[in-house]
Amino acid sequence: MVGPERPLFVLFGSSIVQLSYSNGGWGAILSDIYARKADIMLRGYYGWNSRRAIKILDQVFPKDATIQPSLVIVYFGGNDSMGPHSSGLGPHVPLPEYIENMRKIAIHLKSLSDKTRIIFLSCPPVNEAKLRENTSSYFSELVRTNELCRIYSEACIELGREMNVKVIDLWTAIQKREDWLNCCFTDGVHLAAEGSKVVVEEILKVLKEAEWEPSLHWKSMQTECSEDSPYDLVASDGKTTINPSEWTFHREIQWD
């Protein structure tokens, strides 16, 4: 473990999580925002569904770990919501089972620590036309529709209400943008930079409004090694130094 010890945020999910450091992704943005405040750990698995996720919960989140995460952001649902294949193979998980799998994930994460906070990301929409353009002959027919995404998204949101778990409604948030079909995806499913900006904005909104102690919103968290130093850049007066530990001018967006 590299010290000093910081709060640990874990991103757990399928390809929306694994690819969150690609194409201006939301994981990379969060890592920049939380630089010197929290460590962001990626646990994303391309193609996975909630059925596979519950099988590795104890490996990814062991209950006897010395350090437990302060925040876990969970995303499963896009693959679960795909239509079933006639062979019985494939990522589809029936809606009732998906709900119970997400319930098991929430119960396990809540058991880790009284201070472990959880955010579920609901199933985002898809661009069906772009999906058809990117269909590969390597795959059997893929049934992925925006309506199926809506159904699984709403189920995730309802489960969050039931279990007192915060849920971000990505299906609605992304579609609030008039140009969402053209700008939010790389391939009709996975997020482009503009889609990831929506995810980050919604996550920060939850973290700012949550009545969690301690707060996990970046502006409320301590910045590591933020003390003034004579080794900082010298100010124009030639007598003092300028502390750069809170600088954010490099960011394309000044996140709230």
Side-chain angles (χ1 to χ4, degrees), residues 1-2 4 36 58 64 71 90 96 103 137-138 148 158 194 237 253:
M1 187 70 182
V2 177
R36 297 175 68 164
D58 288 318
D64 59 353
L71 174 67
R103 187 191 308 277
S137 59
Y138 284 102
L148 286 171
E158 181 57 36
E194 293 304 310
D237 61 13
I253 297 174

mmCIF file of all heavy atoms in Angstrom, residues 1-2 4 36 58 64 71 90 96 103 137-138 148 158 194 237 253:
data_model
loop_
_atom_site.group_PDB
_atom_site.id
_atom_site.type_symbol
_atom_site.label_atom_id
_atom_site.label_comp_id
_atom_site.label_asym_id
_atom_site.label_seq_id
_atom_site.Cartn_x
_atom_site.Cartn_y
_atom_site.Cartn_z
ATOM 1 N N MET A 1 0.844 -1.187 0.000
ATOM 2 C CA MET A 1 0.000 0.000 0.000
ATOM 3 C C MET A 1 0.883 1.242 0.000
ATOM 4 O O MET A 1 1.797 1.365 0.803
ATOM 5 C CB MET A 1 -0.899 -0.009 1.248
ATOM 6 C CG MET A 1 -1.946 1.083 1.269
ATOM 7 S SD MET A 1 -3.234 0.796 0.033
ATOM 8 C CE MET A 1 -4.251 2.242 0.272
ATOM 9 N N VAL A 2 0.623 2.139 -0.915
ATOM 10 C CA VAL A 2 1.386 3.380 -0.985
ATOM 11 C C VAL A 2 0.747 4.397 -0.050
ATOM 12 O O VAL A 2 -0.453 4.640 -0.091
ATOM 13 C CB VAL A 2 1.396 3.917 -2.436
ATOM 14 C CG1 VAL A 2 2.122 5.249 -2.498
ATOM 15 C CG2 VAL A 2 2.058 2.898 -3.356
ATOM 16 N N PRO A 4 0.819 8.396 2.015
ATOM 17 C CA PRO A 4 -0.099 8.304 3.153
ATOM 18 C C PRO A 4 -1.462 7.743 2.740
ATOM 19 O O PRO A 4 -1.860 7.829 1.583
ATOM 20 C CB PRO A 4 -0.235 9.757 3.616
ATOM 21 C CG PRO A 4 0.927 10.487 3.012
ATOM 22 C CD PRO A 4 1.230 9.773 1.733
ATOM 23 N N ARG A 36 -5.043 13.961 -4.727
ATOM 24 C CA ARG A 36 -4.593 14.409 -3.406
ATOM 25 C C ARG A 36 -5.717 14.397 -2.373
ATOM 26 O O ARG A 36 -5.568 14.935 -1.281
ATOM 27 C CB ARG A 36 -3.946 15.795 -3.485
ATOM 28 C CG ARG A 36 -2.700 15.796 -4.354
ATOM 29 C CD ARG A 36 -2.108 17.166 -4.551
ATOM 30 N NE ARG A 36 -1.549 17.715 -3.307
ATOM 31 C CZ ARG A 36 -0.714 18.753 -3.274
ATOM 32 N NH1 ARG A 36 -0.352 19.344 -4.410
ATOM 33 N NH2 ARG A 36 -0.243 19.193 -2.138
ATOM 34 N N ASP A 58 -16.897 -11.410 -2.707
ATOM 35 C CA ASP A 58 -15.980 -11.639 -1.585
ATOM 36 C C ASP A 58 -14.524 -11.435 -1.979
ATOM 37 O O ASP A 58 -13.686 -11.132 -1.131
ATOM 38 C CB ASP A 58 -16.164 -13.051 -1.035
ATOM 39 C CG ASP A 58 -17.481 -13.196 -0.275
ATOM 40 O OD1 ASP A 58 -17.826 -12.276 0.476
ATOM 41 O OD2 ASP A 58 -18.162 -14.216 -0.457
ATOM 42 N N ASP A 64 -12.882 -8.953 5.652
ATOM 43 C CA ASP A 64 -11.810 -8.856 6.640
ATOM 44 C C ASP A 64 -10.662 -7.965 6.174
ATOM 45 O O ASP A 64 -9.586 -7.964 6.778
ATOM 46 C CB ASP A 64 -11.278 -10.243 6.985
ATOM 47 C CG ASP A 64 -10.726 -10.987 5.763
ATOM 48 O OD1 ASP A 64 -10.878 -10.476 4.632
ATOM 49 O OD2 ASP A 64 -10.146 -12.073 5.952
ATOM 50 N N LEU A 71 -16.279 4.761 -0.470
ATOM 51 C CA LEU A 71 -17.351 4.880 -1.449
ATOM 52 C C LEU A 71 -17.208 3.772 -2.485
ATOM 53 O O LEU A 71 -16.106 3.499 -2.952
ATOM 54 C CB LEU A 71 -17.280 6.243 -2.146
ATOM 55 C CG LEU A 71 -18.250 6.485 -3.303
ATOM 56 C CD1 LEU A 71 -19.694 6.531 -2.804
ATOM 57 C CD2 LEU A 71 -17.901 7.776 -4.043
ATOM 58 N N GLY A 90 -25.274 -16.221 -23.143
ATOM 59 C CA GLY A 90 -25.287 -14.772 -23.279
ATOM 60 C C GLY A 90 -25.480 -14.049 -21.962
ATOM 61 O O GLY A 90 -25.699 -14.656 -20.912
ATOM 62 N N PRO A 96 -36.373 -10.032 -12.510
ATOM 63 C CA PRO A 96 -36.429 -10.356 -11.067
ATOM 64 C C PRO A 96 -35.084 -10.799 -10.512
ATOM 65 O O PRO A 96 -34.725 -10.435 -9.380
ATOM 66 C CB PRO A 96 -37.462 -11.495 -11.011
ATOM 67 C CG PRO A 96 -38.312 -11.311 -12.223
ATOM 68 C CD PRO A 96 -37.366 -10.815 -13.286
ATOM 69 N N ARG A 103 -29.584 -6.421 -5.103
ATOM 70 C CA ARG A 103 -29.857 -6.398 -3.663
ATOM 71 C C ARG A 103 -28.708 -7.062 -2.890
ATOM 72 O O ARG A 103 -28.250 -6.557 -1.864
ATOM 73 C CB ARG A 103 -31.175 -7.121 -3.370
ATOM 74 C CG ARG A 103 -31.632 -6.999 -1.903
ATOM 75 C CD ARG A 103 -32.789 -7.951 -1.588
ATOM 76 N NE ARG A 103 -33.868 -7.800 -2.560
ATOM 77 C CZ ARG A 103 -34.810 -6.848 -2.482
ATOM 78 N NH1 ARG A 103 -34.770 -5.978 -1.496
ATOM 79 N NH2 ARG A 103 -35.762 -6.794 -3.408
ATOM 80 N N SER A 137 -20.156 -9.312 -37.417
ATOM 81 C CA SER A 137 -20.500 -10.675 -37.827
ATOM 82 C C SER A 137 -19.955 -11.718 -36.850
ATOM 83 O O SER A 137 -20.310 -12.893 -36.927
ATOM 84 C CB SER A 137 -19.943 -10.955 -39.221
ATOM 85 O OG SER A 137 -18.528 -10.803 -39.239
ATOM 86 N N TYR A 138 -19.101 -11.299 -35.940
ATOM 87 C CA TYR A 138 -18.558 -12.228 -34.953
ATOM 88 C C TYR A 138 -19.612 -12.642 -33.927
ATOM 89 O O TYR A 138 -19.489 -13.678 -33.277
ATOM 90 C CB TYR A 138 -17.371 -11.594 -34.209
ATOM 91 C CG TYR A 138 -16.103 -11.553 -35.024
ATOM 92 C CD1 TYR A 138 -15.684 -10.368 -35.628
ATOM 93 C CD2 TYR A 138 -15.323 -12.696 -35.199
ATOM 94 C CE1 TYR A 138 -14.520 -10.320 -36.385
ATOM 95 C CE2 TYR A 138 -14.163 -12.664 -35.946
ATOM 96 C CZ TYR A 138 -13.769 -11.470 -36.541
ATOM 97 O OH TYR A 138 -12.619 -11.429 -37.280
ATOM 98 N N LEU A 148 -35.751 -1.614 -23.144
ATOM 99 C CA LEU A 148 -35.245 -2.566 -22.161
ATOM 100 C C LEU A 148 -34.351 -1.866 -21.138
ATOM 101 O O LEU A 148 -34.416 -2.166 -19.935
ATOM 102 C CB LEU A 148 -34.478 -3.686 -22.854
ATOM 103 C CG LEU A 148 -35.314 -4.726 -23.605
ATOM 104 C CD1 LEU A 148 -34.416 -5.640 -24.434
ATOM 105 C CD2 LEU A 148 -36.157 -5.542 -22.631
ATOM 106 N N GLU A 158 -35.919 1.842 -8.138
ATOM 107 C CA GLU A 158 -36.878 1.399 -7.129
ATOM 108 C C GLU A 158 -36.185 0.610 -6.024
ATOM 109 O O GLU A 158 -36.499 0.761 -4.832
ATOM 110 C CB GLU A 158 -37.966 0.558 -7.788
ATOM 111 C CG GLU A 158 -39.043 0.072 -6.831
ATOM 112 C CD GLU A 158 -39.730 1.205 -6.083
ATOM 113 O OE1 GLU A 158 -39.937 2.296 -6.667
ATOM 114 O OE2 GLU A 158 -40.072 0.994 -4.892
ATOM 115 N N GLU A 194 -18.583 13.271 -23.757
ATOM 116 C CA GLU A 194 -19.754 14.048 -23.359
ATOM 117 C C GLU A 194 -20.677 13.234 -22.463
ATOM 118 O O GLU A 194 -21.274 13.768 -21.522
ATOM 119 C CB GLU A 194 -20.503 14.550 -24.591
ATOM 120 C CG GLU A 194 -19.740 15.584 -25.403
ATOM 121 C CD GLU A 194 -19.335 16.795 -24.555
ATOM 122 O OE1 GLU A 194 -20.209 17.344 -23.864
ATOM 123 O OE2 GLU A 194 -18.150 17.176 -24.596
ATOM 124 N N ASP A 237 6.314 39.301 -5.460
ATOM 125 C CA ASP A 237 6.946 40.207 -4.493
ATOM 126 C C ASP A 237 8.357 39.771 -4.138
ATOM 127 O O ASP A 237 9.114 40.505 -3.480
ATOM 128 C CB ASP A 237 6.095 40.337 -3.227
ATOM 129 C CG ASP A 237 5.902 39.008 -2.488
ATOM 130 O OD1 ASP A 237 6.614 38.018 -2.794
ATOM 131 O OD2 ASP A 237 5.042 38.946 -1.594
ATOM 132 N N ILE A 253 -13.412 21.705 -17.273
ATOM 133 C CA ILE A 253 -14.618 22.123 -16.562
ATOM 134 C C ILE A 253 -14.249 22.353 -15.100
ATOM 135 O O ILE A 253 -13.560 21.530 -14.486
ATOM 136 C CB ILE A 253 -15.703 21.016 -16.644
ATOM 137 C CG1 ILE A 253 -16.121 20.800 -18.101
ATOM 138 C CG2 ILE A 253 -16.922 21.393 -15.791
ATOM 139 C CD1 ILE A 253 -17.077 19.625 -18.294
#
